[in-house]
Amino acid sequence: MNAQQLVDERGDLWLALAPLWLDHEPSERDYARMVDVIQRYDMSLVELEWMFRLELAPVMSRHQLSIASEWRKFDDYKLMQQLVRHNLRLKGWRRKSWALFSGLTTMMVRHRWVELMNRVKVARGET
């Protein structure tokens, strides 16, 4: 898969979920937008979980740990470059390593993710 394919296939979803890592709790409108974007993708909850853990969290958690990072809003272009770069390299041992450490990279936003997944279940009629 090349960079353009990644952007075409996942870009909207990645950018929609990025606010989970901002310094404030997502608003009702933020959650509604995330659910709306997720609904456009044919992904199970398990697939969404692994996308969250492997494709997003390794990049986004670095923003949380960086003192110089943006906390109010992300530069979408720069963020997309970082996500694409990470995901193009996400093979073999890198994939296994991120899977192993995904609990650490997701723990600061896990409560937001759980809330979002509950809303997705309601939207899908799964509860």
Side-chain angles (χ1 to χ4, degrees):
M1 186 173 299
N2 65 37
Q4 188 59 52
Q5 286 174 308
L6 276 172
V7 171
D8 293 344
E9 291 179 15
R10 292 281 213 253
D12 290 341
L13 185 58
W14 288 339
L15 292 178
L17 298 178
L20 293 171
W21 279 269
L22 292 175
D23 71 336
H24 55 80
E25 290 296 318
S27 67
E28 288 296 318
R29 189 170 46 177
D30 293 332
Y31 278 122
R33 181 176 180 277
M34 288 181 224
V35 170
D36 181 54
V37 172
I38 288 171
Q39 292 295 80
R40 289 188 254 149
Y41 288 80
D42 186 27
M43 295 177 75
S44 70
L45 295 178
V46 171
E47 290 170 320
L48 286 166
E49 175 71 24
W50 283 108
M51 183 269 315
F52 169 67
R53 288 175 168 238
L54 299 178
E55 296 176 20
L56 276 170
V59 174
M60 303 307 296
S61 62
R62 291 182 198 139
H63 285 274
Q64 282 186 313
L65 298 174
S66 172
I67 294 171
S69 183
E70 288 293 321
W71 281 94
R72 302 261 180 235
K73 183 179 184 289
F74 295 113
D75 175 342
D76 289 349
Y77 181 77
K78 184 178 175 183
L79 182 59
M80 188 61 68
Q81 285 180 317
Q82 293 168 342
L83 288 163
V84 167
R85 191 172 336 129
H86 165 76
N87 282 279
L88 286 174
R89 297 174 51 191
L90 192 58
K91 297 176 179 81
W93 66 270
R94 282 189 173 95
R95 186 173 194 81
K96 291 175 185 172
S97 294
W98 284 120
L100 180 64
F101 293 107
S102 64
L104 293 172
T105 60
T106 60
M107 73 179 172
M108 292 180 71
V109 296
R110 176 56 65 182
H111 65 287
R112 295 173 181 174
W113 180 254
V114 169
E115 175 64 24
L116 177 60
M117 290 300 98
N118 286 335
R119 290 169 186 246
V120 169
K121 287 178 191 175
V122 169
R124 291 179 176 181
E126 295 180 15
T127 50

Short mmCIF file of all heavy atoms in Angstrom, two decimals, residues 5 7 9-10 12 21-23 25 32-33 44 48 54 61 67 75-76 90 93 97-98 112 115-116 119-121:
data_model
loop_
_atom_site.label_atom_id
_atom_site.label_comp_id
_atom_site.label_asym_id
_atom_site.label_seq_id
_atom_site.Cartn_x
_atom_site.Cartn_y
_atom_site.Cartn_z
N GLN A 5 -2.94 5.70 -1.05
CA GLN A 5 -3.96 4.72 -0.69
C GLN A 5 -4.32 4.82 0.80
O GLN A 5 -5.49 4.72 1.16
CB GLN A 5 -3.49 3.31 -1.01
CG GLN A 5 -3.49 2.96 -2.47
CD GLN A 5 -2.87 1.60 -2.71
OE1 GLN A 5 -1.76 1.32 -2.25
NE2 GLN A 5 -3.58 0.74 -3.42
N VAL A 7 -4.08 7.46 2.75
CA VAL A 7 -4.85 8.68 2.94
C VAL A 7 -6.28 8.49 2.45
O VAL A 7 -7.24 8.86 3.14
CB VAL A 7 -4.19 9.89 2.24
CG1 VAL A 7 -5.10 11.10 2.25
CG2 VAL A 7 -2.85 10.22 2.89
N GLU A 9 -7.96 5.65 2.11
CA GLU A 9 -8.69 4.63 2.85
C GLU A 9 -8.90 4.94 4.32
O GLU A 9 -9.87 4.48 4.92
CB GLU A 9 -7.97 3.28 2.72
CG GLU A 9 -8.04 2.70 1.33
CD GLU A 9 -7.32 1.39 1.20
OE1 GLU A 9 -6.98 0.76 2.23
OE2 GLU A 9 -7.06 0.97 0.05
N ARG A 10 -7.97 5.70 4.93
CA ARG A 10 -8.05 5.91 6.37
C ARG A 10 -7.99 7.37 6.81
O ARG A 10 -8.28 7.67 7.97
CB ARG A 10 -6.88 5.20 7.07
CG ARG A 10 -6.92 3.71 7.04
CD ARG A 10 -7.89 3.21 8.10
NE ARG A 10 -7.45 1.96 8.65
CZ ARG A 10 -8.03 0.81 8.38
NH1 ARG A 10 -9.04 0.75 7.55
NH2 ARG A 10 -7.58 -0.29 8.93
N ASP A 12 -9.71 10.23 6.54
CA ASP A 12 -10.86 10.86 7.21
C ASP A 12 -11.08 10.28 8.60
O ASP A 12 -11.38 11.00 9.55
CB ASP A 12 -12.14 10.69 6.40
CG ASP A 12 -12.14 11.50 5.12
OD1 ASP A 12 -11.35 12.46 5.02
OD2 ASP A 12 -12.92 11.17 4.21
N TRP A 21 -7.16 12.81 21.53
CA TRP A 21 -5.89 13.07 22.17
C TRP A 21 -5.67 14.55 22.52
O TRP A 21 -4.59 14.90 22.99
CB TRP A 21 -4.74 12.59 21.28
CG TRP A 21 -4.51 11.13 21.39
CD1 TRP A 21 -3.66 10.50 22.26
CD2 TRP A 21 -5.11 10.09 20.62
NE1 TRP A 21 -3.72 9.14 22.07
CE2 TRP A 21 -4.60 8.86 21.07
CE3 TRP A 21 -6.04 10.07 19.59
CZ2 TRP A 21 -4.97 7.64 20.53
CZ3 TRP A 21 -6.42 8.86 19.05
CH2 TRP A 21 -5.89 7.66 19.52
N LEU A 22 -6.65 15.39 22.32
CA LEU A 22 -6.49 16.80 22.70
C LEU A 22 -6.63 16.98 24.20
O LEU A 22 -7.05 16.07 24.91
CB LEU A 22 -7.52 17.66 21.94
CG LEU A 22 -7.29 17.76 20.43
CD1 LEU A 22 -8.42 18.52 19.77
CD2 LEU A 22 -5.95 18.40 20.12
N ASP A 23 -6.31 18.17 24.69
CA ASP A 23 -6.25 18.40 26.14
C ASP A 23 -7.60 18.59 26.80
O ASP A 23 -7.67 18.76 28.00
CB ASP A 23 -5.35 19.60 26.45
CG ASP A 23 -5.96 20.92 26.04
OD1 ASP A 23 -6.84 20.91 25.15
OD2 ASP A 23 -5.57 21.95 26.60
N GLU A 25 -11.87 17.28 27.04
CA GLU A 25 -12.80 16.19 26.72
C GLU A 25 -13.56 16.54 25.43
O GLU A 25 -13.95 17.69 25.25
CB GLU A 25 -13.80 15.98 27.86
CG GLU A 25 -13.19 15.39 29.11
CD GLU A 25 -12.63 13.99 28.91
OE1 GLU A 25 -13.28 13.16 28.23
OE2 GLU A 25 -11.54 13.71 29.43
N ALA A 32 -20.33 13.02 18.13
CA ALA A 32 -21.29 12.78 17.05
C ALA A 32 -20.57 12.73 15.70
O ALA A 32 -20.88 11.87 14.85
CB ALA A 32 -22.37 13.86 17.04
N ARG A 33 -19.62 13.62 15.50
CA ARG A 33 -18.86 13.63 14.24
C ARG A 33 -18.03 12.36 14.11
O ARG A 33 -17.98 11.75 13.04
CB ARG A 33 -17.95 14.85 14.18
CG ARG A 33 -17.15 14.91 12.88
CD ARG A 33 -16.32 16.18 12.76
NE ARG A 33 -15.60 16.19 11.52
CZ ARG A 33 -14.44 15.56 11.32
NH1 ARG A 33 -13.87 14.89 12.29
NH2 ARG A 33 -13.83 15.62 10.15
N SER A 44 -15.55 -3.62 11.96
CA SER A 44 -16.12 -4.15 13.20
C SER A 44 -15.50 -3.41 14.38
O SER A 44 -14.49 -2.69 14.23
CB SER A 44 -15.82 -5.65 13.31
OG SER A 44 -14.43 -5.85 13.55
N LEU A 48 -11.81 -1.71 14.63
CA LEU A 48 -11.63 -0.33 15.11
C LEU A 48 -10.65 -0.28 16.28
O LEU A 48 -9.80 0.61 16.35
CB LEU A 48 -12.97 0.27 15.53
CG LEU A 48 -13.90 0.65 14.39
CD1 LEU A 48 -15.31 0.91 14.92
CD2 LEU A 48 -13.38 1.87 13.65
N LEU A 54 -2.90 0.35 16.91
CA LEU A 54 -1.71 0.22 16.08
C LEU A 54 -1.49 1.37 15.10
O LEU A 54 -0.35 1.76 14.87
CB LEU A 54 -1.76 -1.09 15.28
CG LEU A 54 -1.81 -2.37 16.10
CD1 LEU A 54 -1.91 -3.57 15.19
CD2 LEU A 54 -0.60 -2.48 17.01
N SER A 61 0.08 9.39 20.81
CA SER A 61 0.59 9.41 22.18
C SER A 61 1.87 10.24 22.27
O SER A 61 2.15 10.84 23.31
CB SER A 61 0.82 8.00 22.71
OG SER A 61 1.78 7.32 21.94
N ILE A 67 6.21 18.16 25.27
CA ILE A 67 5.94 19.46 25.87
C ILE A 67 5.62 20.50 24.79
O ILE A 67 4.78 21.36 24.97
CB ILE A 67 7.15 19.94 26.71
CG1 ILE A 67 7.31 19.01 27.90
CG2 ILE A 67 6.98 21.37 27.15
CD1 ILE A 67 8.57 19.22 28.69
N ASP A 75 -2.42 20.30 13.45
CA ASP A 75 -2.22 20.68 12.05
C ASP A 75 -2.50 19.41 11.25
O ASP A 75 -1.71 18.46 11.27
CB ASP A 75 -0.77 21.15 11.86
CG ASP A 75 -0.42 21.45 10.41
OD1 ASP A 75 -1.15 21.00 9.50
OD2 ASP A 75 0.59 22.12 10.20
N ASP A 76 -3.64 19.38 10.56
CA ASP A 76 -4.08 18.16 9.87
C ASP A 76 -3.05 17.66 8.86
O ASP A 76 -2.83 16.46 8.74
CB ASP A 76 -5.42 18.40 9.17
CG ASP A 76 -6.57 18.52 10.15
OD1 ASP A 76 -6.39 18.22 11.34
OD2 ASP A 76 -7.67 18.93 9.70
N LEU A 90 4.52 0.05 9.40
CA LEU A 90 3.87 -0.82 10.38
C LEU A 90 3.76 -2.26 9.86
O LEU A 90 2.70 -2.73 9.49
CB LEU A 90 2.48 -0.26 10.72
CG LEU A 90 1.76 -0.85 11.91
CD1 LEU A 90 2.58 -0.70 13.18
CD2 LEU A 90 0.41 -0.18 12.09
N TRP A 93 8.09 -6.82 12.85
CA TRP A 93 8.41 -6.63 14.26
C TRP A 93 7.85 -5.31 14.80
O TRP A 93 7.51 -5.21 15.97
CB TRP A 93 9.92 -6.71 14.51
CG TRP A 93 10.72 -5.60 13.88
CD1 TRP A 93 11.27 -5.58 12.65
CD2 TRP A 93 11.02 -4.33 14.48
NE1 TRP A 93 11.92 -4.38 12.43
CE2 TRP A 93 11.78 -3.59 13.54
CE3 TRP A 93 10.74 -3.76 15.71
CZ2 TRP A 93 12.25 -2.31 13.79
CZ3 TRP A 93 11.21 -2.48 15.96
CH2 TRP A 93 11.96 -1.76 15.01
N SER A 97 5.60 -5.09 18.05
CA SER A 97 6.03 -4.25 19.17
C SER A 97 4.95 -3.28 19.59
O SER A 97 4.68 -3.12 20.78
CB SER A 97 7.29 -3.45 18.80
OG SER A 97 8.37 -4.31 18.60
N TRP A 98 4.31 -2.63 18.62
CA TRP A 98 3.23 -1.70 18.96
C TRP A 98 2.05 -2.42 19.55
O TRP A 98 1.38 -1.90 20.45
CB TRP A 98 2.83 -0.86 17.74
CG TRP A 98 3.82 0.21 17.44
CD1 TRP A 98 4.52 0.37 16.28
CD2 TRP A 98 4.24 1.28 18.30
NE1 TRP A 98 5.36 1.45 16.38
CE2 TRP A 98 5.20 2.04 17.61
CE3 TRP A 98 3.91 1.66 19.60
CZ2 TRP A 98 5.83 3.16 18.15
CZ3 TRP A 98 4.54 2.78 20.15
CH2 TRP A 98 5.47 3.51 19.43
N ARG A 112 -12.02 7.84 26.88
CA ARG A 112 -12.69 8.50 25.75
C ARG A 112 -13.04 7.48 24.67
O ARG A 112 -14.10 7.55 24.06
CB ARG A 112 -11.81 9.60 25.17
CG ARG A 112 -11.58 10.74 26.14
CD ARG A 112 -10.57 11.72 25.60
NE ARG A 112 -10.34 12.80 26.55
CZ ARG A 112 -9.43 13.74 26.39
NH1 ARG A 112 -8.67 13.75 25.30
NH2 ARG A 112 -9.27 14.68 27.30
N GLU A 115 -16.05 5.46 25.70
CA GLU A 115 -17.26 6.27 25.49
C GLU A 115 -17.64 6.30 24.01
O GLU A 115 -18.81 6.15 23.65
CB GLU A 115 -17.04 7.70 26.01
CG GLU A 115 -18.17 8.65 25.74
CD GLU A 115 -19.47 8.30 26.44
OE1 GLU A 115 -19.43 7.61 27.48
OE2 GLU A 115 -20.54 8.70 25.95
N LEU A 116 -16.66 6.50 23.15
CA LEU A 116 -16.92 6.53 21.71
C LEU A 116 -17.45 5.19 21.22
O LEU A 116 -18.42 5.15 20.46
CB LEU A 116 -15.65 6.92 20.95
CG LEU A 116 -15.75 6.92 19.43
CD1 LEU A 116 -16.82 7.89 18.94
CD2 LEU A 116 -14.39 7.23 18.82
N ARG A 119 -21.02 4.72 22.05
CA ARG A 119 -21.87 5.50 21.14
C ARG A 119 -21.99 4.84 19.77
O ARG A 119 -23.05 4.88 19.14
CB ARG A 119 -21.34 6.92 21.02
CG ARG A 119 -21.50 7.73 22.29
CD ARG A 119 -20.73 9.04 22.24
NE ARG A 119 -20.78 9.73 23.49
CZ ARG A 119 -21.40 10.91 23.67
NH1 ARG A 119 -22.00 11.50 22.67
NH2 ARG A 119 -21.39 11.47 24.86
N VAL A 120 -20.91 4.24 19.31
CA VAL A 120 -20.94 3.52 18.04
C VAL A 120 -21.89 2.32 18.15
O VAL A 120 -22.70 2.07 17.25
CB VAL A 120 -19.53 3.07 17.62
CG1 VAL A 120 -19.58 2.09 16.44
CG2 VAL A 120 -18.67 4.28 17.26
N LYS A 121 -21.82 1.61 19.27
CA LYS A 121 -22.73 0.46 19.47
C LYS A 121 -24.19 0.91 19.44
O LYS A 121 -25.03 0.25 18.81
CB LYS A 121 -22.43 -0.21 20.81
CG LYS A 121 -21.17 -1.00 20.84
CD LYS A 121 -20.96 -1.58 22.24
CE LYS A 121 -19.58 -2.15 22.41
NZ LYS A 121 -19.35 -2.61 23.79
#
